[in-house]
Amino acid sequence: EDSQFNQTLENLPPSLEYLATGWTYNKPIPYLPNLIYLWLGRKYSLGLPKLSSSLQYLILEESFTQYLDNLPPNLEYLHVGWHYNKPLDKLPQGLKYLDFCVEKFSHDINNLPNGLKVFRFSAYENHKCTFNFLPEQLESLYVSSEVIVKLDCLPHGLKYLDVRINNYFDKNAD
């Protein structure tokens, strides 16, 4: 069911740890010093609010298109949704799970966090983006889009590999 909630959130208790805004919310988010989990719904298109260093889970749905700058260093889980088409080069090094499900993506993957364990990448229209670098700690890779994966960048400890839809493994990497 589609929530119609879109009222400004004011005077929220500073002790709040979990905030989910619903599908239609598109108003500023106040700074919450103890927030651990933040889910910004389908219509949220504003820039990221100031995020607490305690934030561990961030879910950005369909309409979010802003740069992912200044994410908290303790962020462990990031979901980026449908309309995002910006480089993924400023993610926190402590990120462990990246779920990236977008409509279009036109950037190569060059700089993922070293601590990343799970990377799910789905882009329904892209321009054959290339995975030039995958962190050595990566254990699970799910790719469902037209992607060039350089074989020499597959981590030695990779345990799970699920590739679909016109993937191309480049044996002749630079």
Side-chain angles (χ1 to χ4, degrees):
E1 183 175 313
D2 197 8
S3 165
Q4 298 300 312
F5 179 77
N6 195 30
Q7 297 174 6
T8 302
L9 295 172
E10 296 178 327
N11 301 318
L12 294 174
S15 60
L16 196 65
E17 294 180 353
Y18 178 101
L19 178 61
T21 61
W23 291 113
T24 59
Y25 190 81
N26 194 30
K27 302 276 186 193
I29 303 290
Y31 176 71
L32 298 164
N34 295 304
L35 203 60
I36 294 171
Y37 180 101
L38 177 59
W39 180 69
L40 299 173
R42 189 183 301 169
K43 300 292 183 190
Y44 188 83
S45 62
L46 305 175
L48 283 177
K50 180 180 177 188
L51 298 171
S52 167
S53 63
S54 63
L55 192 69
Q56 295 175 13
Y57 301 90
L58 179 59
I59 299 171
L60 304 167
E61 292 289 352
E62 292 180 19
S63 297
F64 186 81
T65 59
Q66 309 299 320
Y67 282 95
L68 292 172
D69 292 340
N70 302 316
L71 292 174
N74 295 327
L75 192 67
E76 293 182 7
Y77 178 98
L78 176 62
H79 168 86
V80 181
W82 200 244
H83 294 295
Y84 192 81
N85 189 10
K86 303 270 192 289
L88 293 174
D89 56 0
K90 294 185 179 177
L91 300 175
Q93 288 302 309
L95 194 67
K96 294 189 180 359
Y97 190 107
L98 178 57
D99 186 12
F100 194 75
C101 181
V102 296
E103 179 182 26
K104 298 177 184 177
F105 193 69
S106 56
H107 306 277
D108 287 344
I109 305 293
N110 296 313
N111 189 22
L112 292 173
N114 290 328
L116 195 65
K117 298 236 184 248
V118 178
F119 183 32
R120 294 178 48 84
F121 181 88
S122 298
Y124 293 91
E125 294 177 33
N126 67 40
H127 304 285
K128 287 194 177 173
C129 83
T130 301
F131 286 13
N132 292 309
F133 167 79
L134 292 170
E136 197 55 42
Q137 300 293 323
L138 194 68
E139 295 175 356
S140 295
L141 176 62
Y142 172 88
V143 181
S144 178
S145 30
E146 210 167 318
V147 168
I148 298 171
V149 179
K150 295 196 176 189
L151 282 176
D152 68 344
C153 83
L154 287 178
H156 295 284
L158 193 66
K159 297 175 182 174
Y160 178 87
L161 178 62
D162 186 342
V163 290
R164 305 169 191 217
I165 308 177
N166 299 327
N167 290 286
Y168 172 66
F169 286 88
D170 184 1
K171 296 179 285 208
N172 301 316
D174 300 333

